[in-house]
Structure formats: C-alpha cells, structure tokens
Amino acid sequence: MIIILKENADKEKTALLKGKLRSLGFEIHESRGHSSTLLGLVGDTTILEPDDLIANEVVADVRRIQEPYKKANRKMHPEDTVVDICGKKIGGGHFQVIAGPCSIETKEQITEVAWDVKNSGAHLLRGGAFKPRTSPYSFQGLENDGLKLLLEAKKATGMPVVTEIMTPEHLLLFDEVDVVQVGARNMQNFQLLKMLGKSEKTVLLKRGLANTLDELVMSAEYIMAGGNENVILCERGIRTFETSMRNTLDISAIPMLKKMTHLPVIVDPSHAAGIRWMVEPLAKAAIAAGADGLMIEVHNDPENALCDGPQSMTPEGFDSLMKDLKEEVKFFGKTMD
Ligand code: PEP
Ligand code: MN
C-alpha cells in the first residue's frame, strides 16, 4: 500500500501517523519528491482501510497494491481449488450441473424432478425450502417440511443436495444438506458468512444483484477467514439499465473471477435470464467463458410452479440441453463425471 502525503504536510502529524503504522507492524519506505512524499508500507495491509487513512489530515491519497483478500486470492494459491461434494468434484477441470426446481412444492414434484434431472446427467439436486421472495405475500417455501422432502429425494436418488439458508439460526436444520446456498440477497449478510466460515459445509455463494466482483470475493473471504475453504462462487445476473431480461448475465465476471481467485465459478442462467428459452444460449456462453458448472431450474409443471415458472425448463427441454452441454464441456477440455 502506498500513502501519498499532502504537500507541506505537518511534520508532527506525519510523525504520529508513521509511529501508529509502525506500531501496527508495518515497515515504512519513505520516498521524497519535489512536492510530495510517498510512504510505502510493507506488511499485511489487508487490515487497513484506505478510507480510514484518507481521513487523516496529512494524507492526500492511498493506493492499494495488493488486493484486500488473501485466502481467496489466486496469487496466494495459483492452482484451481477443487471442491468435493460427496465425491462429485467441481473446479480444476471438473464440471458439474446442479438442477432442480426453484422451490420444493410437494413430495411428488421434488422426487419426480430429481429422477428426471439425474437421468439427464445432472449430479446435484437443487430446491429451495426457505425462499427469499420480494413480496411477503408470495409463496415463502415449505421451510422445514420442504427440507425434509428434499432429503427424502436425496435418499431416493442418491444425489447430493443444494438449498438456500437465510439466517444463521437455521444451520442446525441443514445437517444433512450437502451444499448450503447463500442467495444473492444475503451475499453481504456478514453474520451468516461468519457462521458458515466456522462450519464445514460447502457454501455456494451467489453474487448480489448489485455487487462488484471485489465485494463477492470479499464475501468469500469472510467464509474462508473462518477456516472454511469449501466455497463455490456463482454469477447469477446483475441489475443493469436493461429491462428485457430479469437480470443481465455478466459473462465477463467468469474469466475475471477466475483470474482474481482460485475458487470454482459457476453460472445460474435461469435467474440471469428469467426466461426459459434464454437459459440454453446463456448456459452455452457460460461454458465457453470458462465456468466450472451451471445451476439450472427445472420443473415438471412450469406453468403451475409456485415460484419462477417462466424461467424453469421442462424435464424434456433440460434433457435435450444436457446432451449439447456434455459435448461442449468435453470440447472445452473439462470432465463432467
Ligand atoms: C435461487 O437460487 O433460488 C435464488 C433465489 O437465487 P438468487 O439468490 O440468485 O436470486
Ligand atoms: Mn428461483
């Protein structure tokens, strides 16, 4: 980190600042120019907030040289992280498809969809029990009863399951859940992230509707800082000025995240598009851009779905898409086993 001092910065106040930085364990390399002085800090600057330093009256500007995240940083861990979910690997050339309905509705619905997506080649089953809905009057999910139905479908099909957690108190209900999803609206629920950091659960962390990639990686860092390194990132579309789709899929996020971090990056084309027919082209674009997996909503009766019917694929549509995706994944040198 480099601190640029103001011209004619007060000497006493500058000495106080330097003393404070040294007491925090930083080595300071000072470089005096004609009009300004630079302080180069050597040490772990992740603990420093540039804004706090700028508040000091002798400081003109602060530049970070190193990213504020360590554990998630590709520079600290050049190899891709491979996350293992009950023997299903994701990352480092391993590709996975997570499929299932937006919400768990009935025993028949979740079991039927589970068998359908399994037979089409998906290895992980999704389904929401606790749903973060914009309106309090919309279907909120079957909650604990939904979790039970999801676990029954897991037992019947042998598929590992992915479902969303909305509050730290619910973690004890997620004992048999294989992947805990942190939804877009909770990406910066820091209490939730800290608690998941102390758990051993694999976490699927979705990007917030209006969050930067730095913010997404910092949220992953919260989980990893607690000791849990099993984190998968998910790009699910962001808010832009465009209104033709539910969100805008940020394809650029995939290569950029893979440069910033070693964590697996998957894409959710269903929530990005909000439109069934667009899931296929976006899924294909995601693979071409380097994604390590996809999460796709599939419903056995999308017209009567209690949540996200318009973007849900039918089991037949999903089956035909999977045939193409398998070829494409192979073409891009990844395995889908
Ligand atoms: C979901 O996956 O069911 C969901 C609610 O997604 P998001 O958090 O991305 O809106
Ligand atoms: Mn949904």
Side-chain angles (χ1 to χ4, degrees):
M1 181 177 276
I2 292 171
I3 298 174
I4 303 151
L5 297 180
K6 282 183 184 158
E7 264 183 65
N8 310 317
D10 182 89
K11 285 203 171 74
E12 256 173 56
K13 286 183 177 148
T14 304
L16 277 176
L17 173 66
K18 289 201 277 188
K20 189 173 156 200
L21 291 167
R22 283 197 187 98
S23 74
L24 289 170
F26 294 104
E27 219 181 280
I28 301 174
H29 291 267
E30 192 162 333
S31 141
R32 284 171 204 269
H34 276 305
S35 54
S36 58
T37 300
L38 308 181
L39 304 179
L41 301 191
V42 181
D44 181 7
T45 55
T46 52
I47 60 163
L48 294 177
E49 269 299 328
D51 284 350
D52 293 346
L53 290 165
I54 287 169
N56 190 306
E57 70 179 83
V58 298
V59 175
D61 206 356
V62 176
R63 303 269 161 81
R64 261 201 195 284
I65 309 282
Q66 248 175 352
E67 297 81 6
Y69 43 91
K70 282 189 290 191
K71 298 207 171 215
N73 200 327
R74 169 82 73 183
K75 286 182 193 152
M76 306 289 173
H77 186 298
E79 298 297 311
D80 284 345
T81 281
V82 180
V83 173
D84 192 306
I85 309 155
C86 310
K88 302 293 171 205
K89 293 191 171 73
I90 181 159
H94 303 273
F95 189 95
Q96 292 298 340
V97 177
I98 304 167
C102 180
S103 313
I104 301 146
E105 297 173 8
T106 63
K107 181 178 165 71
E108 292 67 37
Q109 174 242 22
I110 188 67
T111 316
E112 214 175 286
V113 177
W115 279 115
D116 284 337
V117 298
K118 180 177 177 160
N119 290 334
S120 300
H123 289 316
L124 292 111
L125 175 66
R126 67 150 284 149
F130 296 94
K131 295 300 303 175
R133 303 303 300 277
T134 301
S135 165
Y137 308 114
S138 301
F139 175 59
Q140 302 288 306
L142 297 182
E143 305 190 331
N144 210 8
D145 290 339
L147 273 186
K148 287 186 190 140
L149 297 179
L150 183 68
L151 294 173
E152 280 178 32
K154 166 181 169 168
K155 213 165 158 193
T157 58
M159 294 174 91
V161 292
V162 183
T163 193
E164 178 164 354
I165 191 166
M166 297 216 294
T167 177
E169 294 81 58
H170 284 168
L171 188 62
L172 46 103
L173 304 173
F174 282 59
D175 230 25
E176 292 169 61
V177 169
D178 305 287
V179 180
V180 176
Q181 175 174 320
V182 174
R185 289 150 194 85
N186 268 315
M187 191 202 90
Q188 289 189 315
N189 180 339
F190 300 117
Q191 276 311 109
L192 185 60
L193 301 176
K194 280 188 200 173
M195 190 232 17
L196 290 169
K198 289 196 206 96
S199 82
E200 286 174 4
K201 290 280 176 204
T202 295
V203 181
L204 174 61
L205 178 64
K206 298 187 89 173
R207 180 181 183 182
L209 281 69
N211 283 110
T212 64
L213 299 181
D214 261 336
E215 287 164 343
L216 172 60
V217 178
M218 285 304 276
S219 288
E221 187 79 13
Y222 258 93
I223 302 167
M224 299 173 85
N228 182 359
E229 308 216 338
N230 294 316
V231 182
I232 301 165
L233 303 175
C234 180
E235 160 59 33
R236 45 78 72 205
I238 50 170
R239 281 260 164 95
T240 68
F241 49 80
E242 182 54 65
T243 54
S244 323
M245 290 83 63
R246 187 174 179 183
N247 292 290
T248 297
L249 180 62
D250 183 6
I251 282 285
S252 322
I254 307 161
M256 186 53 87
L257 282 171
K258 292 191 73 78
K259 183 172 163 56
M260 292 163 75
T261 160
H262 50 88
L263 298 172
V265 177
I266 73 163
V267 168
D268 170 353
S270 307
H271 289 90
I275 312 167
R276 183 175 312 123
W277 62 262
M278 206 180 271
V279 172
E280 173 172 340
L282 296 188
K284 291 179 175 173
I287 298 173
D292 299 298
L294 291 163
M295 179 150 86
I296 297 177
E297 285 189 344
V298 180
H299 197 287
N300 54 349
D301 184 9
E303 278 184 19
N304 292 302
L306 296 180
C307 183
D308 288 349
Q311 69 196 30
S312 299
M313 299 193 86
T314 59
E316 298 72 35
F318 179 70
D319 190 64
S320 132
L321 172 64
M322 281 296 279
K323 290 192 170 81
D324 286 0
L325 298 187
K326 282 176 197 162
E327 289 301 313
E328 193 186 347
V329 166
K330 213 189 304 169
F331 178 83
F332 282 101
K334 292 192 172 146
T335 55
M336 198 168 157
D337 43 23

